Structures are given as structure tokens and as C-alpha cells.
Amino acid sequence: MSSTGKKHAEAQAEDLLAAVAGRKSSSKNPAKASRDGKVMDTNNSSIVSKRSVERLYLEKPHFFRYFVKKPVRRSPLINRGYWLRMHAIEQTVSAFLKEPSEKRKIVLNLGCGDPLPFQCLSRYPEDCTGVTFVDVDFPELISKKREIILEQSDLQSLVGWIQSDGRDGPATALQSTENGSPILIRSNRYVGVGCDLRDISRLSKTLEEELQIGSCLVLCSAEVSITYMDVDAADALIRWAAQYDEVRFCMLEQLLPQGQEHPFAQKMIQHFVNLGTPLRCVQKYPLLQDQETRFLRAGYHSVKARTLWQLWQDQSAVAPDLRLHLNRAEPFDEWEEFGLFSSHYFILEAKKSSTHPRSPNNQGGSIPEYLALERQSQVRKSRPIVVDDRVVLNVSSSQAKHRRKFGATIPFSDQTIGIHGGIGDKGRLNTTTRYQDLGLEAKDTKFSSPPIDIEARVCHTVTALDDGRFLLAGGRTSPDNALGECWLCCSGQWKPVDKLPIPLYRHGATPVAYGTVDAGVLIFGGKTTRGIVVNQWFLWREATGWKEVCPSSGKLLPRFGATVASTSPGCGILLGGMTEDGILCDERWEWTIGYGKDTDTTLQLNYLKGSPIAPRFGPCLAWTPMGLLVIGGISTSLITLGEEILRLSNGAYGTVDGFTVLEPMAISTDFDGHRPLLIGHAVCASGDTLLIAGGGAVCFSFGSYWNMTTWTLNFPTGCEPKYPVRHFVAEGIVPPHYDPALELHAEDAERVPPAAQSNSMAEAVQRVRIESETDFDQLMHGGRPFVMEGLDLGECMTDWTVHKTYSDQVTVHQAQGCHMNFQLKNFQYVKKPFGKFMQEICNGSPQYLRSLNAEKAAEEPACFSDDFPGLSDQFHLPQQLATVARNQHSSPLRISGPVNMWLHYDVMANVLCQIIGTKVVALYPPIDAVHFKIPPGSSSSPITVFHPDQRGCVVYPRHHFRVTLNEGDILYIPPLWLHSVSPLDNLSVSINVFFRNLSIGYSPGRDVYGNRDLQVYETGRRNVERMVKSMGSLPRDIARTYLARLGEELIETSRTFRQKPD
């Protein structure tokens, strides 16, 4: 295609989006036109999301690219949800195409937003022989789609051409009629009909006259399209399709499996109300059985509806290899939220056939035999859950101001409970929320929350031991970056202890004690770095650290999110979890741990047969006076309110036919207030009361829901509650700061100056989402670092991989260990091929590349676009950073292996764009430069601030800011802020863009690296030299006195600058 044609096609695509946005309408009724425009607008974001899915998950050729001019990468949750929607529709359509039939087939797409015809013609060419694809939608949309097809030769080649004057004509001969016919485009494989779906008579007439639809085998496909219609009009459309002898109907829409009161349903319904497109059909047909009955009464002979979550769990519908492909394409850990979304959407397949006898007692068909058998089977498999109405869930009167989910519970005392870490409304947290019981007299309990030095994390565990100790283990930053650090709290003091043998998150953890041996913590399963799922057991004891324990009997598949609990000394249970490919586990195991003759730890596993418990993923477990409670999480279907909290009967085991079994018992939840969303919550039993706090979820693209109150369970004696309802109030607490200077050895004295060994506080770097250049400028003028999320850096975020190669030779820093020190020069400059360098760092070699100007390395600053022309079009600054682009000084590419960058500052401001890998950045404000032994005229410190063995662990005990950069994050580093970087992966790729944010003051002359100090500082240094020289004739004690006084005057002056506003 010519460049002119390409530009025109892009313009046509933009026009299509404009039409989708409802800027045009053929309706003469303004109110109706407005409603129709808003309905079309819902497809706007939908096709953008599907384009994101296409780029990430699907093989080429891609077709959404013709309809989405500027691709946007959606969040992993939205990508996974839209992929499942697309897969469900494609699976149904492909099965229809493969269905044997002597009749001509028609795929009737009710709503033209998707390029479904092109996808099928490309992927299933043999099955599409003799098949006609028909798009029906508003005339404005069909017209724009026609224009795009006419501009794209590859689309024309797929849909074929028509006969003109008795001869085959090329694809450009595609015709549109001007005589009022709704057919706006037609070929021998494709027809575009511009017709309102509510105008059934016109639609029926057109399809009969042009396609003889009555003699064809027809599949009607409606993906979230007719749900916006008036219910009567939508029902009429369904009945119209059923008048034909051979018809299939595939419909994908929303449902309300737990009613409108469920938090996810509330957010979903309100979202579409806000858009002006309320979900009409879901109000009348909220459940799967309602939809099945709807189609049976319309005249279809067989109907099957299931949620997308049930579809996902069906390995015949979504193959395990396909699920693993999704995991490899994009790290993912939003399983609870994915389960919520896919439980509120369903796929329905209805069938009407001339060979199927009609039911004489029903205007439509009867309930098909396979549905009746399936329901009978479900009844036989599930046993009724007994409701224990003695225990009632009560809503607290206090409001929880601290939004937090996926944190870890710390039971400091009967009156004080903490929730550490997790996710807040602005990102991951490293703080603790304390819940104080107001119903009891406060006791003087010494407690200490985890220090703020502990990196912000989610999906970690804090295990309470009987002797008052707590062990914090694992967690993650991003789904492909597990953490291995562990911290122990003893007598109110936290300290780091041995790391996990492998980094883990979403692992199960429980305290264990046996005999006279000191208590320990047993961990099973979870995910490690790069999302690998494991089935290993690890035991921690303070005396021995972590040891792997191999079961002598029984074998579990790798899983994560399983719940592990001790039931008696040395014994316990394991429930649920999820396999690597995202399937819930319904297994129940008993484990026994102990010592053998040689004091080696032994572990035995016993599979529990008997009555099943519905599998759970992500619940909380708590021991209470009534036994072990399983609270919240997700299951194979959306959990009912009455089954959110299950009690294991009697808190013990029973036997049936010689097998150990567990009997679930539901808790009554008859309470006032909003229903809690028991996802990412925390629980803790405190005496006679169980506290449920925190939690919430991202409800797909509909917004976030947070639990804003706490809940309590009060346990009775007999049938009456023994205690009144207790209320907990939440308050944020200032965490302490771990001071490793207290544990430094003598040889470290030079590394950490005494002046820096005072008690200090670390601060988290603010994470923001900005919409405009003005937002960036305002934040920049605040003078502090901040991280920008969700901005577009270009195709580098998806196309750059470990295997991306560049042919030239590069000069790299080859270090002797895990730390580079510019003052000590403990590295060498080595020139080698780029491919060899990449291979070596991926294998763990401590090397680092900072690109230089390709033509004049010693004279000109680096410029990524000029130095790497083969990669330059794949990276760009977001438009919100126009200030940076206008004032750019240099843009070096940085590629690092597992080696820490030395502590230094840059005179120019810069933005650090993280593209591949994850790394920790420690930052210190400019005023602290005096503590880091930076030689005069230099910008680099000889002091190492990171732990020698633990990546990303800051050990220099000075007030600092600390942030973990994930892929796609952009860190703004103000001028003169000292910073050191520690990669958490073997490979880290980023691009720095240095820019001038001062209008005056830079030193004249050449500045290749952007770190030449300002002219005023260089002038001041020369003045100091002259001043010292002028005192050379004075006695040494007098000269020293005057110099000291001048120094104090300068320090005092600097303090006044600190107090003055800019």
C-alpha cells in the first residue's frame, strides 16, 4: 500500500472510532439518537481492549489494527478478560464452521464492532468454503467499515469479489447500493447490512431477498450488543431468529449470579448507567436458568448457558497449553478479580433444528435431556451445607479509612491487630494499619510493626508463633518478581533472618510445634520468580533456618494459593489452591511432620477422601472457639453470601467408611449494612471475636471496590451470643526503621560513617498517574522524585525481549562482584559483541552497559534514536513528558546484569524509563551529600548502600527514599538527588532521558554525561582555593580557626536556604 493510501486508511479508522463514539446518527429522534450514540460508544473502548489482546496474545495476521489507530496496552486483568470473551465467541463460531451440513451457511454478526469475518476467513479458510459472513449494525458503522475494507487490499482479498458484467472483478469492485437498500457492501463472502436491529421487518426482508436466509444454516452471534436494547425488542429479535428451520444462536452478555447486591454487580451496573447505556436485559434475566428459559420459550430446542469462569475451568474449552501461553505472554496474578469478572459474564448456545420435534405444550422447546441429566448429576455430587445460625456476622460501626487488600495479618495481642503491606489505592504498601478493640480495657502491650525498610509487597505471610514471635516471609512486587526476604519479630524487635530457599508468594504458611523442639513455620507451594509454580515444603526454625522437607508419602501437584493450617501438634490440613494453568484444586490433604531417629525432619501426606468441599482459592483461615473457619476467596462458581464463611465441623476430623473427611458448615450472615467483598481481606481471631478487615477488588474496567467497614464474628455458648458485639477502629501507625548500624562489624566502620548511624526514617516514592504535561510540570516543581505509571513508551514494552539482538560491538563495565564502585574502579571497560554481552548477563555475569554517542563518544552526549537506529522507532517519550523532550540533553540506553550501580548524583534532571526487568532505586536528598564522602569535583560516592548478598536490600542507615521500578514505570529523579540502583533480575533494560530544567546556571563547555556541576559551584570551589591560599602566611592555628568559622557560616547559610520557599 502506498503511503498516501496508508494515511487515508488511518483517517478512515479514526472516522470509524468517531462513528462508534456516537458522533453521528441517522435517527430523527434526538433522544433516540443520543441513546444510540452512547450504545455505539461502548464498542469504542471494547475494540481498543481487543487490539491490546491481539498484540499480546494472538498470532498474526492482526485485524483490529485496521480499526484502532493508536494501540493502548490494557492492564493484565482487562487483557485476560477480553481474551476469554474473544475465545468464547471464536470457539463457538469455529465449531459452527466445522459442523457438517449440505446447506449454505451464514454467520450473522449482530453488531459489527469485531473483525470476526476476517479472522475466520484467515484462520479457517477450508471451513469457510461456501460460508457468507453478514455484519448488521447501525448504518454509520457499516459505512465506515466499508470504507476501511475498500482501502485495505488484504481485507479485500479475504472477503473476495463480486461478478460485474459477467466477469470477475477485483476487490475494488465491491459495491454499495444507493437505492435505499440497507446492504452497503457485498462480496461473494461478505455482506454489510446497515440496519437497526430493532427494525426486524426490514432486517428480515433484506436477508430473505438478498441471501435467502430461510434455506440456510444460520449462526447468530451477539456479543454484548442486544443487552442494551429494550427487553421486548431484544426478545423479539431472539424469537425472529427462531422462526427459521436451522438456526444457532450464540450470545455473550452480563449476568447477576448473586443479585444486584453483590459488590461487583453494583460497580458493573453503575458503570453502564454512568455511560448512559444501562444493562436492560440483565434486570429481567439475571441468572443462567433465566436465560435458558428465555430461549426455550422463544422456540429453540436446546440451550446451554455457562459463565465464562466455568468455561475457563473446562479444560476441553480452554486447553492447558493455551492457558500457559497466556501466562508466558504476560505475567498475571489477578486471579480473584478475574474470577469475579468471568462469573458475571456468560456464553449461551441455543439450537433450533427442523429434525427436532416441537413440544406440544410449549410455544418453544422443552428442557433438553442433557440439561436435565447435568442438573441431576450436580445435585447428586453436592451435599447440603448445614447453616449454623448461632453465629452471626456483624458489621462494625467504625469506618475503615485505610484501604488495603492482600496484606498479612499480625495479631499483636487480644486487643491489637495489624495488617501489613498489601495494595492501597495508590499502589503497594510497606506500612501497617493497626486495629484497636474499643470494647475491652486497653492493656500495656508492647508491639512493633514491621520496619519500613521492608520492601512494599503483597501476597506475603506473617506467621504468629505461640511464644510471641512473628515470621514475615516472601511476597511479591510484580507477578514475575517474587521476594525471598524474611524478617523475625522477637520481643517487639524486628530483624532480617535467613532468606527463603527460593523467593515465594501466594504460599501457604502455618506454625508447627512438636515435642520439646522449638516452634517453627511450615510453608508449602506458591509461585516463585517468573511465575513458576512449585510444590516444595520448607520448614523454618530459628536455630536452623530454612530447610526443605521432602514428603515420604503422597505427592501434590504444584499449586499456589493453597490454605495450610495446623490442627494439632505436628499435624494439619491443606485445602484448595490453583494449578499453574489456572485451574482450582478441589483436593484435601492431611499432613504430619516430625523427627526421625537421626533428627531429620519427616513429612507424610494423606489424601482425604469423602464428602467434597467446593474448592477455594485465596480464602483466609482462622482458628476460633468454634473450630477452623474458611473465609472468603473464590470458588468454581460465585460464592453465595451464606457460604462465604465455612466452618469445619467440630474443628476436628471424622471418618466415613474408614476415610478421613471434613464437613463444612455455613455461618449465618443476617446482618445490616453492605455485603463485604471477601477478596484480599485479612482475618484474625481475638479471644471471643473474629475480625474481618480490609479487602476489595478491581472490578474489571468498572472501577475499584473497597471494603470501607470492618466485620466481626462473635462466638456463642449454646444458642445465645455470649459476648456483645466488639468494635475495632483502624488507625495508621508510623513504623519503626531497622537500623543495621547496630549490627555492623569492625571492618564496616569505614563503609558507614558514624554521623550516619543515627535513627532514621525511609520514605516511599510517590506513585502517580498523570494526564497532561501540566500534571508533570507541577509534580516536577515539587522537587521530589516520583514514579509515573500507565504511560505509553512504545512497542519496546512488548517487542523487546532477551533475544532482541544488535550487531555492533559495545563497551561494557565488567565488574569483579555484585557492586561497582567508581572511586575504587573495581571494574574494567571491555569491548565485546552485543549478543555475547546479552548472553553473559542473562547467565548471571555482573556487567553493565551505558551507551555512548555512536560517532563521537568523548565529545557528544548519547542519543538513543541516533545511536540505535534499528530500535529507535520502538521507543518514545509519552506526550505527557513533552517538557522532557523539548529540553532533552541525552538519552543513553542502560542494560545491566546482576550488578549494583554506584551511588552518585546527576546535575541534570532525568526520567528513568524501565523497559525490561525490575530494580530497586535508593535515593537520598541533595542535602545529605555531605555524609557520603564524595570527593571535591566528583559526583560519585565510595560508599555502598546495598546489602552485598541481598539484591535490593538497602543497608546504609540514613534517611532515604526507596522504590521498586517495574516494567513500564518511569521514575523522575530531580537534579543532585543521589541514587544507587540494584537490579532484582539478571537482566534489566532502561533508557534515561536527561533534560535541562533550569533556565540558567549550567557550566559552559562539553558535558557528555550530564553530571558536570553547575557553574556557581565550580566558581565557589575556585574561590575556596584562593581563600585557603591567601591564609597560607598566617600561623596554622589561626588559619584553621578562620577557615572553621567560615565553614560554619556557610553551613548556617545553607540552613536558611532550606527554610526559604523556591
Side-chain angles (χ1 to χ4, degrees):
M1 184 188 302
S2 66
S3 60
T4 303
K6 183 178 180 181
K7 292 180 180 178
H8 184 60
E10 291 176 348
Q12 298 296 346
E14 189 173 27
D15 289 342
L16 175 63
L17 288 177
V20 171
R23 298 174 189 170
K24 303 177 182 178
S25 177
S26 60
S27 175
K28 297 180 180 180
N29 184 328
K32 180 174 178 292
S34 176
R35 290 196 300 271
D36 292 348
K38 292 175 180 177
V39 170
M40 288 188 282
D41 189 32
T42 62
N43 195 47
N44 189 5
S45 63
S46 176
I47 62 173
V48 173
S49 297
K50 290 180 178 180
R51 172 59 176 149
S52 177
V53 170
E54 182 180 60
R55 297 178 72 212
L56 270 176
Y57 295 149
L58 305 184
E59 295 182 355
K60 292 182 178 180
H62 292 167
F63 297 100
F64 280 98
R65 65 190 179 100
Y66 299 115
F67 306 96
V68 179
K69 182 178 180 181
K70 295 182 179 180
V72 176
R73 181 165 180 169
R74 298 298 199 196
S75 69
L77 174 61
I78 293 178
N79 285 333
R80 185 69 60 104
Y82 269 100
W83 178 90
L84 188 55
R85 277 179 52 169
M86 295 163 66
H87 177 76
I89 293 293
E90 181 178 354
Q91 186 184 51
T92 303
V93 174
S94 64
F96 171 77
L97 295 175
K98 290 177 172 61
E99 182 179 340
S101 176
E102 296 181 356
K103 294 188 175 184
R104 184 166 56 91
K105 292 180 181 179
I106 292 178
V107 177
L108 185 60
N109 191 20
L110 304 176
C112 79
D114 285 5
L116 180 66
F118 317 123
Q119 292 170 326
C120 292
L121 289 166
S122 174
R123 296 171 188 170
Y124 316 107
E126 295 182 359
D127 297 327
C128 290
T129 303
V131 178
T132 302
F133 291 87
V134 182
D135 278 339
V136 183
D137 213 324
F138 291 104
E140 296 88 351
L141 296 182
I142 296 295
S143 296
K144 295 302 178 182
K145 195 168 190 176
R146 174 188 63 188
E147 294 171 6
I148 291 176
I149 293 174
L150 291 174
E151 289 293 335
Q152 302 295 333
S153 59
D154 49 354
L155 296 185
Q156 295 176 45
S157 65
L158 286 172
V159 301
W161 47 75
I162 64 172
Q163 289 188 346
S164 176
D165 299 330
R167 294 175 298 173
D168 283 349
T172 55
L174 287 168
Q175 295 181 346
S176 62
T177 60
E178 303 296 340
N179 57 1
S181 170
I183 294 185
L184 302 181
I185 181 172
R186 178 169 183 170
S187 75
N188 60 337
R189 297 178 183 175
Y190 177 76
V191 178
V193 181
C195 180
D196 191 327
L197 292 175
R198 293 164 295 198
D199 193 349
I200 294 178
S201 60
R202 190 179 191 211
L203 176 63
S204 179
K205 180 181 178 181
T206 301
L207 296 178
E208 284 288 357
E209 292 178 350
E210 300 292 338
L211 298 170
Q212 296 77 48
I213 188 174
S215 62
C216 300
L217 177 60
V218 182
L219 170 66
C220 298
S221 175
E223 182 188 357
V224 194
S225 55
I226 66 175
T227 187
Y228 304 115
M229 298 168 60
D230 292 333
V231 179
D232 292 342
D235 287 345
L237 184 65
I238 293 171
R239 289 194 301 270
W240 163 79
Q243 70 177 317
Y244 298 107
D245 291 337
E246 297 290 342
V247 66
R248 315 287 185 262
F249 206 113
C250 169
M251 186 173 73
L252 191 150
E253 285 186 0
Q254 301 88 349
L255 79 158
L256 305 175
Q258 295 300 320
Q260 300 184 42
E261 295 77 20
H262 191 280
F264 185 97
Q266 294 176 20
K267 300 296 291 187
M268 180 176 70
I269 292 172
Q270 189 59 47
H271 169 79
F272 288 102
V273 169
N274 294 341
L275 294 178
T277 58
L279 302 177
R280 302 181 186 277
C281 294
V282 76
Q283 304 292 339
K284 184 174 181 179
Y285 305 108
L287 305 176
L288 290 178
Q289 52 265 40
D290 296 330
Q291 291 287 357
E292 290 175 344
T293 302
R294 178 191 192 185
F295 275 77
L296 289 171
R297 290 177 176 172
Y300 295 86
H301 298 139
S302 64
V303 186
K304 182 176 182 179
R306 55 179 171 173
T307 67
L308 295 188
W309 186 231
Q310 292 170 329
L311 182 80
W312 173 266
Q313 296 290 316
D314 183 353
Q315 299 198 45
S316 65
V318 186
D321 289 345
L322 189 53
R323 294 195 195 90
L324 294 176
H325 163 70
L326 300 181
N327 292 342
R328 289 190 294 268
E330 182 177 43
F332 185 79
D333 192 41
E334 291 81 1
W335 290 104
E336 292 91 345
E337 294 158 328
F338 179 56
L340 287 176
F341 157 76
S342 49
S343 294
H344 281 84
Y345 278 74
F346 71 93
I347 181 79
L348 177 144
E349 299 174 40
K351 182 177 181 180
K352 162 81 180 302
S353 175
S354 59
T355 60
H356 192 287
R358 281 184 177 272
S359 171
N361 299 323
N362 195 309
Q363 70 178 52
S366 59
I367 297 179
E369 181 179 358
Y370 79 89
L371 278 178
L373 291 175
E374 183 177 282
R375 289 169 182 170
Q376 292 175 11
S377 175
Q378 291 174 353
V379 171
R380 286 196 300 268
K381 288 181 180 179
S382 61
R383 299 180 57 169
I385 296 180
V386 180
V387 176
D388 190 334
D389 57 7
R390 298 174 300 164
V391 182
V392 180
L393 180 64
N394 301 281
V395 64
S396 172
S397 60
S398 62
Q399 293 290 317
K401 299 179 182 179
H402 305 275
R403 297 178 175 181
R404 189 184 299 264
K405 60 184 178 181
F406 298 107
T409 306
I410 308 175
F412 292 116
S413 69
D414 281 350
Q415 294 81 41
T416 306
I417 298 166
I419 302 179
H420 171 264
I423 301 176
D425 52 6
K426 294 184 179 180
R428 292 186 299 275
L429 304 170
N430 61 350
T431 58
T432 303
T433 297
R434 180 179 64 186
Y435 291 85
Q436 183 71 39
D437 181 12
L438 293 184
L440 296 177
E441 181 180 354
K443 296 181 180 180
D444 184 16
T445 303
K446 182 179 180 180
F447 71 91
S448 175
S449 64
I452 202 168
D453 303 78
I454 299 178
E455 182 173 3
R457 65 191 62 205
V458 300
C459 300
H460 55 301
T461 57
V462 176
T463 307
L465 303 175
D466 290 339
D467 53 7
R469 294 177 297 161
F470 304 103
L471 182 71
L472 185 153
R476 68 166 176 85
T477 55
S478 61
D480 59 348
N481 182 39
L483 302 174
E485 294 84 1
C486 298
W487 290 70
L488 177 68
C489 180
C490 185
S491 301
Q493 298 296 321
W494 290 85
K495 64 178 181 179
V497 293
D498 291 343
K499 295 170 61 176
L500 285 163
I502 55 175
L504 287 174
Y505 68 93
R506 288 214 186 253
H507 49 279
T510 184
V512 290
Y514 32 86
T516 59
V517 181
D518 63 326
V521 175
L522 183 67
I523 278 181
F524 167 74
K527 280 189 174 184
T528 186
T529 301
R530 302 300 181 192
I532 298 173
V533 181
V534 300
N535 63 346
Q536 294 165 275
W537 296 79
F538 298 106
L539 176 66
W540 176 89
R541 292 171 50 225
E542 190 169 6
T544 59
W546 289 102
K547 301 291 183 183
E548 182 174 2
V549 184
C550 297
S552 58
S553 62
K555 185 180 176 89
L556 282 73
L557 290 174
R559 68 195 66 192
F560 61 100
T563 50
V564 182
S566 295
T567 56
S568 60
C571 298
I573 59 170
L574 182 147
L575 304 172
M578 183 176 283
T579 61
E580 185 176 12
D581 60 344
I583 297 296
L584 292 174
C585 302
D586 61 356
E587 302 172 358
R588 298 155 303 283
W589 292 78
E590 179 184 25
W591 52 264
T592 304
I593 193 169
Y595 273 134
K597 295 181 180 179
D598 300 326
T599 69
D600 291 333
T601 305
T602 61
L603 180 66
Q604 293 184 334
L605 302 177
N606 178 35
Y607 179 68
L608 302 179
K609 299 181 180 180
S611 61
I613 296 178
R616 290 279 176 107
F617 174 80
C620 293
L621 263 65
W623 274 105
T624 72
M626 295 194 69
L628 186 62
L629 300 186
V630 181
I631 304 165
I634 60 172
S635 187
T636 48
S637 60
L638 197 64
I639 299 174
T640 65
L641 179 60
E643 297 179 11
E644 285 276 26
I645 303 174
L646 300 179
R647 177 168 70 91
L648 302 184
S649 180
N650 300 322
Y653 299 102
T655 59
V656 175
D657 299 329
F659 295 108
T660 306
V661 298
L662 301 170
E663 292 287 352
M665 184 171 292
I667 303 298
S668 173
T669 51
D670 184 16
F671 64 93
D672 296 327
H674 296 293
R675 172 179 176 171
L677 183 58
L678 297 183
I679 298 294
H681 56 296
V683 303
C684 186
S686 175
D688 61 292
T689 301
L690 178 79
L691 172 71
I692 303 175
V698 175
C699 299
F700 201 58
S701 59
F702 313 136
S704 294
Y705 185 95
W706 296 92
N707 291 327
M708 298 307 294
T709 55
T710 58
W711 290 266
T712 56
L713 281 174
N714 295 84
F715 306 108
T717 298
C719 296
E720 297 296 330
K722 181 178 180 181
Y723 299 100
V725 176
R726 292 168 57 184
H727 298 296
F728 289 79
V729 295
E731 61 174 318
I733 55 178
V734 178
H737 185 85
Y738 170 64
D739 191 349
L742 300 177
E743 301 179 7
L744 293 175
H745 301 292
E747 58 267 29
D748 296 318
E750 180 63 19
R751 186 173 64 86
V752 181
Q757 295 181 11
S758 58
N759 187 30
S760 56
M761 295 296 296
E763 293 186 37
V765 175
Q766 181 185 10
R767 288 185 171 270
V768 299
R769 290 181 177 266
I770 63 175
E771 301 293 336
S772 66
E773 180 181 356
T774 302
D775 292 344
F776 174 76
D777 291 344
Q778 290 176 348
L779 287 165
M780 182 177 63
H781 290 152
R784 288 197 172 197
F786 57 91
V787 174
M788 293 161 281
E789 300 178 324
L791 297 180
D792 181 20
L793 291 173
E795 295 179 355
C796 60
M797 297 306 303
T798 55
D799 292 353
W800 287 10
T801 66
V802 175
H803 306 291
K804 195 75 176 181
T805 60
Y806 193 76
S807 58
D808 285 3
Q809 296 273 323
V810 291
T811 300
V812 303
H813 301 66
Q814 187 158 306
Q816 301 171 2
C818 61
H819 295 290
M820 288 190 298
N821 191 309
F822 186 80
Q823 300 297 336
L824 299 178
K825 291 294 191 297
N826 62 344
F827 55 86
Q828 294 178 322
Y829 294 103
V830 179
K831 194 170 185 178
K832 61 181 62 179
F834 181 85
K836 181 180 180 181
F837 161 67
M838 291 292 291
Q839 182 179 8
E840 289 175 348
I841 63 173
C842 290
N843 291 333
S845 177
Q847 300 181 49
Y848 167 73
L849 166 66
R850 195 270 193 200
S851 68
L852 302 174
N853 187 282
E855 299 295 333
K856 300 179 179 179
E859 300 177 11
E860 299 292 339
C863 180
F864 177 76
S865 59
D866 295 337
D867 302 333
F868 298 87
L871 304 176
S872 61
D873 61 343
Q874 298 175 11
F875 168 83
H876 62 253
L877 285 174
Q879 61 182 4
Q880 293 89 337
L881 303 188
T883 298
V884 178
R886 283 196 306 271
N887 300 283
Q888 178 174 323
H889 167 269
S890 59
S891 53
L893 170 69
R894 299 180 187 270
I895 303 179
S896 175
V899 62
N900 299 335
M901 181 68 178
W902 60 82
L903 183 69
H904 69 286
Y905 67 79
D906 301 297
V907 176
M908 292 189 185
N910 78 91
V911 289
L912 176 58
C913 307
Q914 186 66 15
I915 299 173
I916 296 178
T918 308
K919 58 189 176 189
V920 172
V921 184
L923 302 107
Y924 300 82
I927 194 65
D928 282 352
V930 296
H931 299 296
F932 289 94
K933 296 187 175 181
I934 300 176
S938 175
S939 60
S940 298
S941 169
I943 293 176
T944 298
V945 299
F946 284 104
H947 194 284
D949 299 319
Q950 300 181 26
R951 293 188 189 180
C953 181
V954 180
V955 296
Y956 190 84
R958 182 96 205 147
H959 178 103
H960 67 280
F961 291 70
R962 185 177 184 278
V963 64
T964 300
L965 289 186
N966 302 308
E967 294 179 355
D969 285 349
I970 303 176
L971 171 64
Y972 168 70
I973 304 177
L976 270 65
W977 275 69
L978 294 103
H979 51 281
S980 183
V981 179
S982 176
L984 299 180
D985 306 301
N986 280 357
L987 174 64
S988 173
V989 179
S990 58
I991 294 179
N992 266 115
V993 182
F994 293 90
F995 65 103
R996 299 175 177 87
N997 69 326
L998 300 177
S999 58
I1000 59 173
Y1002 292 106
S1003 295
R1006 191 166 54 213
D1007 186 6
V1008 174
Y1009 295 96
N1011 61 355
R1012 184 174 176 181
D1013 281 303
L1014 296 178
Q1015 185 174 3
V1016 64
Y1017 174 70
E1018 296 295 341
T1019 301
R1021 287 186 60 228
R1022 288 193 294 268
N1023 290 337
V1024 169
E1025 291 174 359
R1026 286 195 293 267
M1027 181 173 56
V1028 173
K1029 187 176 181 180
S1030 68
M1031 294 187 182
S1033 58
L1034 295 175
R1036 294 180 62 85
D1037 57 340
I1038 296 177
R1040 186 171 59 188
T1041 299
Y1042 280 134
L1043 287 174
R1045 289 189 60 187
L1046 288 171
E1048 287 294 328
E1049 290 177 26
L1050 286 173
I1051 292 174
E1052 281 300 317
T1053 303
S1054 72
R1055 293 193 178 105
T1056 64
F1057 272 89
R1058 186 188 305 181
Q1059 296 168 0
K1060 292 179 180 179
D1062 293 333

